[in-house]
Amino acid sequence: MTREPAPADYPGCPTTVTDAIASGRALQPVRWGLWGVAGGLAAAFVVGLVVAVALYLANAPVTLQILLGVTAPWLVLAGWPLLTTARRGNGPVIDLGLRLTWGDAGWGALGGLAALLAAGVAASIMQVFVPDLTSAAAEAADELEASGRLAMVVFALLVMVGAPIVEELFFRGLFFGAVRKRGVGAAWTIVITAVVFAGFHLEPVRFLILLPTGLVLGWVRWKTGSTAAAMVTHGLVNAPGAVLLLLGVDGVSP
């Protein structure tokens, strides 16, 4: 006899799984995991490198090099979770926790304030050792400034909206779920995903700034069971820096 699915069959599952089971929906066994996460990360790096080299060799305009260089890896970071959950699970909405209630949004906003505070303290400490602390985003904005206002607005939107959606789909969606499926506890899952998230940015000087942000993002995902709530937190973290970049303030690190 086929047993009805239960939340215990989906360790660390987002609230959307619990809701689907409660509504009587027949769920498929989830057939994605850490190997898919590793492949997705590798593919994102390869795609980003290939596009960057191709644009450089083609002597493409700096604006195109920066904007495509930023977004090309996103095709994998966002596309892979959507594709793999659609083909090997119950779809991205259920498997990745793409639900946002008012409560989720509230926790996401609270997480955003906490992450900004934590990152601000970490940045203040780091500046003692690295006085000219900056970020890849700030350096890219400096190069885009000569390209005109439109390029700066597009870049700011990518920072405030694009990055939070794409990175949370992968790190707090697919990666978080894959680690929990392996039986890892919530606390260690938060730590593991935060460390990889911070390292993924390839900015060693800012690792200790990105790490507390990643920890808060993981906590919001665990607390709410919603990856969308983590997107809210991430967007609030990135928003001040992006706005200051638009205002032409130097040295801002979104």
Side-chain angles (χ1 to χ4, degrees):
M1 179 181 293
T2 302
R3 182 174 61 85
E4 291 295 322
D9 299 324
Y10 304 87
C13 65
T15 303
T16 43
V17 171
T18 306
D19 292 344
I21 292 174
S23 69
R25 175 164 176 170
L27 298 184
Q28 300 295 323
V30 173
R31 296 178 293 113
W32 50 263
L34 287 175
W35 281 112
V37 172
L41 283 173
F45 279 119
V46 170
V47 169
L49 180 61
V50 169
V51 170
V53 170
L55 290 171
Y56 176 78
L57 293 177
N59 198 27
V62 172
T63 301
L64 196 61
Q65 289 190 43
I66 292 174
L67 296 181
L68 285 184
V70 168
T71 56
W74 289 2
L75 296 175
V76 177
L77 288 181
W80 184 246
L82 298 176
L83 179 63
T84 194
T85 53
R87 292 175 59 89
R88 302 179 66 82
N90 299 285
V93 172
I94 291 177
D95 285 4
L96 301 179
L98 299 183
R99 180 204 74 169
L100 188 66
T101 65
W102 284 109
D104 297 334
W107 282 111
L110 183 63
L113 295 176
L116 282 170
L117 178 60
V121 171
S124 298
I125 295 172
M126 285 299 299
Q127 283 185 316
V128 173
F129 304 98
V130 187
D132 58 344
L133 181 66
T134 184
S135 70
E139 292 172 358
D142 288 341
E143 294 190 47
L144 282 173
E145 194 170 3
S147 300
R149 190 68 176 172
L150 179 59
M152 291 293 289
V153 170
V154 170
F155 185 70
L157 289 174
L158 291 177
V159 169
M160 286 191 294
V161 181
I165 292 174
V166 169
E167 292 180 1
E168 294 313 304
L169 276 173
F170 194 90
F171 289 101
R172 255 61 59 175
L174 192 73
F175 192 13
F176 193 100
V179 175
R180 292 289 279 129
K181 276 180 59 189
R182 300 289 294 186
V184 179
W188 276 111
T189 299
I190 291 170
V191 171
I192 292 168
T193 53
V195 169
V196 176
F197 166 77
F200 174 79
H201 288 77
L202 301 179
E203 297 183 68
V205 175
R206 296 185 66 239
F207 180 87
L208 293 179
I209 299 173
L210 292 164
L211 181 59
T213 300
L215 291 173
V216 174
L217 289 166
W219 179 85
V220 170
R221 161 64 176 82
W222 167 78
K223 175 67 178 178
T224 63
S226 167
T227 300
M231 292 176 184
V232 172
T233 297
H234 200 150
L236 289 174
V237 170
N238 285 13
V243 170
L244 290 175
L245 286 174
L246 279 177
L247 296 176
V249 177
D250 294 330
V252 177
S253 303

